[in-house]
Each structure stands twice: as structure tokens, then as C-alpha cells.
Amino acid sequence: MNVSSFFALPFLLLFFNLVSTCHVADQKALLAFKSAITADPSGILSSWKPGVDCCTWDGVTCSVPNRVTSLSLYGQLDRPNAFLSGTISNSLSNLPYLDGIYLVNLRNISGPFPLSLFKLPKLLFVYIENNKLSGQLPAAIGNMSQLEAFSVQGNRFTGPIPSSISKMTRLTQLILGSNLLTGSIPIGIKQLKSLTFLSLERNRFTGAVPDIWGSFPELRILRLSHNKLTGKIPRSISSLAPKLSYLELGHNLITGNIPDFLGNFRALDTLDLSSNYISGVVPKSFRNLTKIFNLDLSRNSLVDPFPELFVKGIESLDLSYNKFHLGKIPKWVTSSPIIYSLKLAKCGIKMKLDDWKPTETFFYDYIDLSENEIWGSPVGLLNRTDYLVGFWGAGNKLNFKLQDLRIVKSLKYLDLSRNVVFGKVPGGVVGLKNLNVSYNHLCGLLPATKFPATSFVGNDCLCGPPLPACK
């Protein structure tokens, strides 16, 4: 290093230090934001201290010299005390360079939608998720027309989606799920032609699913489940076939048949039509859905025949509570190397369970074969699972010794009621969340558990709490 470089180094360090020091007005605005927070038990804002450069504070980014450009505060849902209580201070309007605000999983942030965001001309990304904001979305929300992503999912917003939303034409993500929004889905949403992600699920929307889907050439994810939407699946949804990966319409009041055109959705990963009033057959065109991982058609009025699918590896399948008579578990299910959830309750399956030899049992989390005509023993199957969370086999003719069942640590739900299971109730059931072995042929002293008598009634000679004492 030459002499001039040696003397220049301190000045360079001083220059960069000055560059990174946050603007006094930005620091003042952030400290005012902190002062509106009434509880921070895990210290999310503990680094926010006067006299310390606010560009170094946790959750603060300064991509422009001296100026705060992003505020990112995340709670942790698996840590009960990782939350913030309080309101969103109007001081945020004094952060003119802010382009992103991410207040996610903080849980206890309350108050109305923060009108201070309207005064931030550079703002592009708003994610205020899983908090307790309430009231109506502002009628003038469309004035934030520069936004590229807008998510307020997991709050308590009420009322309709403002019609001015049609002006937010730069949005690629509109995520309003898990609120208390009402009214119909506004037709004006069709102006948001750049959307890749539209989520309106878990609200209280009514009226027909609008026939506007020809306007979204880039849409990958469409979530409308858990509302009160009516009518048939609109024809224009067929326009989404080239790119759509997630189509979720479950838990609505949708009627009619499953349209043939859904078989053209070659990129489809997840299709959820569960808990509607859909009737008729599953189209033969479904054999084209070779990439589908998650298929839920449960709780409708669908009838035979169910088409043979050519799925390379289904992860999750639920056909329960329709009017199917499958006879056996389909081959394309048995051969899946990655399946973790199989639910075929009341699907007209008549088979000996010992004869079912799935290619892979390692990944199974959930198996529901309730209300069929299945006999034999599940022991060979279940004792090959290491991560099973739930097995439901109620209302069959399963016949085996209960003590032979290996109860893995992960198992939380076990329902073997109304079968012909015999033997004793093993002590391993103590770790379960839910247990039902009622109406079988079990005998002997019950282990000490928290389960009610209804879990054990109707057996040959079980005794001990919560049942009568042994004689």
C-alpha cells in the first residue's frame, strides 16, 4: 500500500460511515412507530435505540444512502411471545423512500388500515399479514396504483372489496384471504391483468364465481375456497390452463358438473373442489393431469366411474364422501413414491387390507379409510410408517389384536371404532390427541388416559376409568 492510499483510507471509512447513517427524520419516524407499540415481549424492536444508526436496526433496510427503504418485522407463530401489540403509527408517512413494508405474523397489531401508506409515493410492496387490523378497506385503496403486491391476509377486515381496486393495475399479487370480507367479488378485478397470485379465500363472499378469468394470462395461483360462492365453475376459467398451478374452490356452494376443460390444466399442482354441491362424473380428461400432486374432490355428489389417472406421483388425495364404488385402492395411488395423505372414506372399497402393498409407506402422515368394507389387519401397513399422524378406519371389518399395532411418536389421531378389533388397549395410546376404539371386542384394564368414556364404550369387557371399575 502506498503512502497516499494509507492516508486516504480513514477518509474513505469516514465517508462510508456517513453514507450509512440514517437520516434524522427517518429515525424520528421509526421511533414514533416504536412508541405506538405497547408490548414487545420477545424484543423484536430491542435494537431500535436513539443514538444508534437506524440503518443497523433489526428489520430496517437502507438501500438508498441515509434513507430507510424497507421495514420488515416478522413474528414467529411457533413462539408464543414473538409478537407485537399496539397500532401502526401515522409516522410511517414520514419515510418518503419506503418501498416495502412487511409486518407479518406480529399477531396483535390492531386498528384500522394505516392511511399513512397513501402518502408514500415509492411504496411498491405491502404485506401486513396475520395481525388484528379491522374495519373496512379504504374506498380509495385504488389510489395506491403504484403497488405491485398487496397482502392483508389474516386480519379482521369487514365489508366489501372497494371497487377502486380496479385501478391497481400494476399488482402481481392481491392477497386478501382469511378476513371477514363480504359482498360479491368485484368485476373490476379483471383490470388487474398482471396478477400471478389472487387469494380471496376464507372470507364471506357471496354470489356467483365471476366469469372474468380470460383477463389473467399470468395467473399461477387462484384461491377462492371457504366462502359462500354459488353457481357453476365458469367457462372462462379454461383460459387459465397454460400456467395455473393452484385452483382452489373448495368449501363453497358451487353446483353443476366438473367441466371437461379442467383436464387441459397440464401445469396444475393442486385442485381443490371439496365440500361443494358438484355432481356427475369426474371427466375422462383428468388422465391428462399427469403433474397433479394434490387432488381434493371430497364431500360432493360425484358418481362412478372414476377415471384411471396417469399421475407420476400423487402427494395428497381425498375422494371421501361422494357416491363412488371404487372397489379397490387405485393402482396410481398404490404406486406413488411420495404420497403422504390418502383419504378414501366411504368410497365403496371392498378389500382385505393385508393385500394392499403400497410402493412407499415412509412418507404417510394421514390415512382415512373409514366407512368402507375393508377387512383384515392394518398392522402390516401401519407398522411400516415412521411419521404417521392419523389413521381413521372406523366402520369397517378390521380384525386384529390391538397390542400388535406399533404406535409411533408422531401418531396423534387413531379411530378404529365399529370394527372387530380384539385384545387390550396398550399404554402407548397415552400420547394421542384423539382416540376412538369404541364398539369392538376389546377387554381388560384401561391404561390411565385423558380420553372420555365415549372412546371406549361398546366393547366386550374393558374396565377402569373412565369406564366402571374392574370386577
Side-chain angles (χ1 to χ4, degrees):
M1 181 182 287
N2 60 38
V3 173
S4 60
S5 298
F6 180 83
F7 283 109
L9 189 60
F11 293 104
L12 280 170
L13 290 172
L14 179 63
F15 172 76
F16 282 116
N17 210 29
L18 287 171
V19 164
S20 69
T21 304
C22 107
H23 194 284
V24 62
D26 289 7
Q27 177 154 320
K28 183 179 178 184
L30 290 174
L31 287 172
F33 173 88
K34 182 179 180 179
S35 71
I37 300 302
T38 56
D40 178 13
S42 67
I44 293 171
L45 302 181
S46 59
S47 64
W48 290 32
K49 294 174 181 172
V52 178
D53 177 9
C54 80
C55 290
T56 67
W57 293 354
D58 289 341
V60 177
T61 304
C62 300
S63 299
V64 175
N66 296 55
R67 306 311 299 247
V68 173
T69 55
S70 175
L71 178 58
S72 309
L73 302 174
Y74 294 86
Q76 291 173 272
L77 296 178
D78 57 344
R79 288 180 57 204
N81 68 337
F83 67 86
L84 294 179
S85 296
T87 56
I88 298 174
S89 169
N90 288 328
S91 67
L92 289 184
S93 62
N94 297 322
L95 297 171
Y97 287 84
L98 200 68
D99 65 25
I101 179 166
Y102 309 85
L103 306 177
V104 177
N105 298 336
L106 298 174
R107 284 178 282 184
N108 283 352
I109 299 289
S110 57
F113 183 86
L115 299 180
S116 53
L117 302 189
F118 283 93
K119 299 176 182 176
L120 299 172
K122 296 184 185 293
L123 193 62
L124 299 176
F125 308 101
V126 173
Y127 292 87
I128 305 177
E129 299 179 346
N130 298 326
N131 288 291
K132 289 179 180 169
L133 298 187
S134 58
Q136 297 201 1
L137 293 173
I141 195 81
N143 292 349
M144 301 173 76
S145 57
Q146 81 282 5
L147 287 188
E148 294 179 13
F150 182 68
S151 175
V152 291
Q153 77 172 8
N155 283 285
R156 297 175 177 177
F157 288 114
T158 53
I161 298 176
S163 59
S164 69
I165 201 124
S166 61
K167 292 195 254 175
M168 301 174 77
T169 53
R170 295 186 183 180
L171 284 180
T172 61
Q173 297 190 3
L174 176 60
I175 305 173
L176 307 179
S178 298
N179 279 285
L180 303 168
L181 299 171
T182 53
S184 56
I185 296 173
I187 299 294
I189 279 183
K190 70 181 181 182
Q191 304 302 329
L192 312 183
K193 299 182 192 306
S194 299
L195 283 182
T196 62
F197 188 171
L198 176 60
S199 165
L200 305 177
E201 89 270 20
R202 296 182 187 277
N203 279 287
R204 296 175 179 177
F205 293 119
T206 52
V209 180
D211 202 4
I212 57 173
W213 306 104
S215 302
F216 304 101
E218 301 301 321
L219 199 64
R220 301 312 202 266
I221 300 172
L222 176 58
R223 291 185 168 148
L224 304 179
S225 57
H226 292 271
N227 283 290
K228 295 178 181 176
L229 300 173
T230 55
K232 297 180 179 181
I233 297 172
R235 175 76 205 172
S236 61
I237 277 187
S238 62
S239 307
L240 303 175
K243 293 184 178 178
L244 198 73
S245 294
Y246 295 82
L247 177 57
E248 300 176 13
L249 302 173
H251 293 265
N252 279 292
L253 306 171
I254 294 170
T255 53
N257 297 347
I258 298 177
D260 267 349
F261 63 67
L262 287 184
N264 300 328
F265 283 60
R266 308 276 176 122
L268 208 57
D269 174 301
T270 295
L271 175 61
D272 178 9
L273 303 177
S274 63
S275 296
N276 279 292
Y277 295 93
I278 300 170
S279 54
V281 298
V282 177
K284 288 181 180 176
S285 62
F286 268 43
R287 62 185 60 188
N288 298 327
L289 301 179
T290 56
K291 293 182 179 176
I292 198 157
F293 287 118
N294 306 290
L295 177 61
D296 191 348
L297 305 178
S298 63
R299 299 178 190 276
N300 282 288
S301 298
L302 298 167
V303 298
D304 299 323
F306 192 90
E308 184 179 357
L309 301 195
F310 298 98
V311 184
K312 293 182 174 67
I314 193 100
E315 289 184 352
S316 169
L317 175 69
D318 194 347
L319 304 179
S320 303
Y321 302 107
N322 280 283
K323 297 177 180 177
F324 295 131
H325 302 87
L326 297 183
K328 292 186 177 180
I329 296 171
K331 288 179 184 176
W332 52 273
V333 177
T334 301
S335 62
S336 175
I338 53 173
I339 190 162
Y340 70 86
S341 178
L342 175 63
K343 296 182 178 180
L344 298 175
K346 207 171 185 182
C347 277
I349 296 171
K350 299 180 181 182
M351 62 181 290
K352 185 178 182 182
L353 196 52
D354 313 65
D355 295 338
W356 185 50
K357 308 287 185 189
T359 299
E360 183 59 74
T361 57
F362 182 79
F363 296 109
Y364 268 111
D365 290 340
Y366 305 97
I367 301 174
D368 186 353
L369 300 173
S370 308
E371 312 298 339
N372 284 292
E373 294 181 47
I374 299 172
W375 67 96
S377 170
V379 169
L381 169 68
L382 300 187
N383 284 10
R384 287 197 294 137
T385 65
D386 287 315
Y387 300 103
L388 193 68
V389 177
F391 178 75
W392 294 266
N396 282 289
K397 298 173 184 175
L398 297 174
N399 186 347
F400 68 100
K401 187 178 178 182
L402 189 54
Q403 300 100 301
D404 291 342
L405 192 63
R406 183 171 70 103
I407 296 177
V408 292
K409 282 184 181 177
S410 57
L411 192 67
K412 298 298 176 203
Y413 309 95
L414 181 62
D415 186 351
L416 295 167
S417 59
R418 293 175 288 118
N419 280 284
V420 281
V421 184
F422 58 92
K424 295 182 177 181
V425 176
V429 302
V430 171
L432 301 178
K433 273 188 183 175
N434 287 93
L435 172 69
N436 192 346
V437 290
S438 62
Y439 300 99
N440 280 287
H441 296 294
L442 298 166
C443 212
L445 176 64
L446 285 170
T449 70
K450 60 185 181 298
F451 303 115
T454 50
S455 293
F456 305 110
V457 297
N459 278 284
D460 289 359
C461 44
L462 286 177
C463 57
L467 297 179
C470 299
K471 295 176 182 176

